[in-house]
Amino acid sequence: MNQYCFLADQNAENERIDKYLTDYLKKYSRSFLQKLIKDSQVQVNGTVVKSNYRLHEEDRIELTVPNPLETDILPENLNLDIVYEDADVLVVNKPKGMVVHPSAGHGSGTLVNGLMYHCKDQLSGINGVLRPGIVHRIDMDTTGLLIVCKNDSAHNSIALQLKEHTTTRRYHALVKGTFKESTGTVDAPIGRNPNNRLKMAINFDHGKDAVTHFRVLEQFRDCAYVECILETGRTHQIRVHMSSIGHPLLGDTVYGGPAVKNVQGQMLHAKIIGFMHPSTGEYMEFDSELPLYFQEILNKYRRTV
């Protein structure tokens, strides 16, 4: 258990406690510190506070960071498709149907199970015992590239790049309908669907900023092959945004897309990912081939043109 006790300096005046702590204790992510605040592990002048508490100079801040919990997640040899790996990060090509981290109903066969086998104990711990190394994720039925962090320093670096929208994330998708314009942008906040907590929706009252740029690569008779470029990374962002403009993803029956024979879930592939290496500062970019089932369906539409 780590305990901190210090006085807020002049830079703290009127600053949110979670923001100040993130700048002051750089080894921890803002989301981790917000969870500590929510769990009553942070006090200011002897009183438990919320994340939006505004500090004053010389406020006395006390913070308790509990020891990491032991995980009962079992390592599994899942023959992960590792595209790149070094001492700080690895890039993995996730297959369709694989959940990123354990959750209710998915205790094994997840990407984390495979990472724990492959990396042993060399994974960042910032996101807790259920999500070691996980700095971002993609849906179970979305395929493609993910960055995994092998230490906390790398995790903080990649998390900051994601927050500041300096990473490159390009997805390829098959979507319903025909487009009048070959390029476009959807700029609409995304939050939980108030009528169905399992879904996301455009939510101007309580949603978070979300921006998706798209480019039509090939137009077919009743669907299109598009590239979607993420500026932000909200849950189900591409699926919600494309559905909102009348172009739901093929296979995405959750958001109004038509079912695809013999294919589970949305036709979406995280094709390109780029980032600044946490240690060297060098820009790195990786590209992955469309999975075979995606190529076969795409070629079927090409033959009908």
Side-chain angles (χ1 to χ4, degrees):
M1 179 180 298
N2 291 323
Q3 292 184 308
Y4 301 87
C5 183
F6 52 92
L7 296 179
D9 61 24
Q10 61 183 4
N11 295 324
E13 191 63 37
N14 204 38
E15 185 80 280
R16 283 175 57 116
I17 180 71
D18 58 346
K19 174 67 165 56
Y20 182 76
L21 288 177
T22 303
D23 294 336
Y24 190 88
L25 301 171
K26 297 186 183 297
K27 66 183 294 186
Y28 302 118
S29 70
R30 187 168 183 174
S31 60
F32 177 78
L33 291 167
Q34 286 174 331
K35 186 178 186 306
L36 291 183
I37 295 170
K38 184 178 180 181
D39 293 342
S40 302
Q41 299 296 327
V42 177
Q43 295 186 5
V44 177
N45 301 324
T47 302
V48 172
V49 295
K50 295 182 179 180
S51 292
N52 62 359
Y53 175 84
R54 298 284 177 173
L55 287 165
H56 301 286
E57 185 178 355
E58 296 193 359
D59 273 349
R60 185 172 184 268
I61 302 171
E62 296 176 85
L63 172 68
T64 301
V65 181
N67 291 327
L69 298 174
E70 293 295 326
T71 179
D72 58 358
I73 303 172
L74 297 177
E76 297 179 54
N77 184 4
L78 301 178
N79 296 314
L80 298 178
D81 182 6
I82 306 297
V83 176
Y84 173 83
E85 182 175 12
D86 62 27
D88 293 307
V89 297
L90 64 83
V91 177
V92 61
N93 191 23
K94 188 189 81 66
K96 197 174 190 67
M98 177 180 279
V99 174
V100 170
H101 58 76
S103 59
H106 300 284
S108 64
T110 73
L111 178 61
V112 164
N113 292 104
L115 289 170
M116 291 183 67
Y117 179 90
H118 180 81
C119 299
K120 305 299 189 285
D121 59 350
Q122 296 180 343
L123 290 168
S124 67
I126 288 175
N127 270 341
V129 295
L130 292 180
R131 295 184 287 172
I134 303 302
V135 67
H136 69 125
R137 62 184 182 179
I138 55 180
D139 297 335
M140 177 176 71
D141 290 324
T142 298
T143 57
L145 300 177
L146 278 170
I147 309 166
V148 175
C149 297
K150 300 176 74 174
N151 54 66
D152 289 357
S153 176
H155 189 117
N156 284 330
S157 173
I158 298 299
L160 182 61
Q161 292 179 54
L162 289 165
K163 178 183 176 181
E164 295 182 343
H165 316 315
T166 57
T167 57
T168 300
R169 286 177 291 172
R170 295 175 180 263
Y171 289 66
H172 283 200
L174 276 170
V175 303
K176 181 181 177 181
T178 57
F179 289 79
K180 295 181 180 179
E181 304 291 338
S182 60
T183 61
T185 296
V186 184
D187 184 349
I190 291 176
R192 288 288 170 190
N193 186 319
N195 300 315
N196 185 343
R197 300 296 296 173
L198 298 178
K199 295 174 61 175
M200 308 301 288
I202 304 297
N203 190 325
F204 288 97
D205 294 325
H206 305 290
K208 295 182 178 180
D209 291 344
V211 180
T212 304
H213 307 284
F214 65 86
R215 178 168 65 98
V216 178
L217 302 176
E218 298 178 57
Q219 178 67 65
F220 307 115
R221 185 174 57 194
D222 56 0
C223 74
Y225 178 39
V226 302
E227 179 179 65
C228 294
I229 304 169
L230 290 184
E231 198 170 300
T232 55
R234 307 305 178 199
T235 301
H236 297 180
Q237 179 172 319
I238 292 173
R239 299 167 63 187
V240 172
H241 272 174
M242 296 309 292
S243 178
S244 75
I245 60 171
H247 297 288
L249 275 61
L250 300 194
D252 191 4
T253 56
V254 174
Y255 292 104
V260 177
K261 186 177 180 180
N262 298 325
V263 174
Q264 175 183 314
Q266 64 276 358
M267 298 289 296
L268 183 62
H269 179 68
K271 195 172 193 306
I272 297 173
I273 196 158
F275 56 94
M276 303 295 290
H277 191 276
S279 292
T280 67
E282 175 190 3
Y283 180 74
M284 309 178 75
E285 187 171 284
F286 302 91
D287 192 337
S288 63
E289 293 292 329
L290 293 173
L292 183 59
Y293 78 90
F294 199 128
Q295 294 181 41
E296 290 174 347
I297 292 172
L298 181 58
N299 287 333
K300 182 187 73 172
Y301 280 106
R302 285 169 173 162
R303 289 193 295 270
T304 65
V305 174

